[in-house]
Each structure stands twice: as C-alpha cells, then as structure tokens.
C-alpha cells in the first residue's frame, strides 16, 4: 500500500507561485505514473499534470500549460507541482495520486489507485 502525502499548499495573491510536494514516506516511485489533480467546491476532480517517473514524460491540462510544471527529484521519492502565474480560478484542493506503469495519454482520476489527502491552494485577486 502506497501512502501519499502532499504539502506546500497555502494562500497566495494572483500572479504568485507555490510549489506542492508529494511523497510516499519510505517509498520510491520507480516506473510510476504520478498525477496531480484539483477539486474546487461543487466541481469535478480535474487532472492538471502528470509524470511518468520512468522516462520523466510529462502531461498537462490545457488550462495550466505554460504555468504549471510537474517534476521529480533524482531519488524518485518526491514529486513536485510548481505553480506559477496563479489565478483565482486555480483555487482548489490539490491531490497527488499514483499508479504503477506508464501514464495513459488520456489519463484521469479513475486510472489512479493511490491518493493523498490533499492540500488547499487559495489564490486571491
């Protein structure tokens, strides 16, 4: 069982930046697809970015391309979501999720079996 923990959320003004981290204590994500999702109140969970840790291949939702970056550390035990040029509409609970194997090009929440508890991101105008 992989336990995921997100950190790095908070409140920021529009145009600011935050970096979220996702770790599985004592776990190394070798050849995993790790995705970042967000969910705002009353809205469906939305994928924002994903990475296949085997090759470092990344995927992004159109709404965040050019602003968000998914990355991993060399030890492959921590994943990051760097969020720049934040907008009020980016306000949501952010989750990381993981599954073993490559990411599907049409990756979505149902692909992932392991989830963190989430970290809140609030962007004020």
């Amino acid at each position: 069982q992989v336990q995921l923990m997100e950190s790095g959320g908070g409140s920021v003004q529009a145009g600011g930046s935050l970096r979220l981290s996702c770790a599985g204590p004592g776990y190394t994500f070798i050849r995993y697809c790790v995705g970042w999702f967000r969910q705002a109140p009353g809205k469906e969970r939305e994928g924002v970015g994903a990475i296949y840790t085997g090759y470092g291949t990344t995927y992004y939702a159109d709404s965040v391309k050019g602003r968000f970056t998914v990355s991993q550390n060399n030890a492959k035990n921590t994943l990051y979501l760097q969020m720049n040029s934040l907008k009020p509409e980016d306000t949501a609970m952010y989750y990381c999720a993981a599954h073993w194997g490559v990411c599907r090009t049409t990756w979505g929440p149902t692909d992932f079996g392991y989830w963190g508890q989430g970290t809140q991101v609030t962007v004020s105008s």
Side-chain angles (χ1 to χ4, degrees):
Q1 183 77 11
V2 179
Q3 294 183 322
L4 303 177
M5 294 175 54
E6 304 94 340
S7 60
S11 297
V12 64
Q13 288 193 323
S17 298
L18 284 173
R19 188 176 81 159
L20 306 183
S21 299
C22 173
Y27 200 80
T28 302
F29 297 98
I30 297 176
R31 293 194 292 274
Y32 269 75
C33 177
V34 179
W36 286 95
F37 294 83
R38 66 186 180 187
Q39 189 166 21
K43 294 189 175 181
E44 292 187 355
R45 191 163 293 191
E46 171 193 23
V48 296
I51 184 168
Y52 174 56
T53 63
Y55 303 138
T57 312
T58 53
Y59 307 82
Y60 296 98
D62 288 342
S63 58
V64 305
K65 277 181 182 176
R67 300 189 299 123
F68 290 12
T69 304
V70 180
S71 63
Q72 59 183 323
N73 68 350
N74 289 337
K76 297 188 189 299
N77 57 12
T78 305
L79 288 301
Y80 304 100
L81 179 67
Q82 177 67 43
M83 304 185 293
N84 299 329
S85 303
L86 282 162
K87 305 175 181 180
E89 51 264 42
D90 295 319
T91 295
M93 185 72 78
Y94 282 71
Y95 302 87
C96 66
H99 70 76
W100 188 86
V102 299
C103 304
R104 293 194 306 130
T105 54
T106 56
W107 57 279
T110 58
D111 292 347
F112 296 83
Y114 304 113
W115 289 83
Q117 295 298 308
T119 185
Q120 177 68 37
V121 171
T122 302
V123 184
S124 58
S125 57

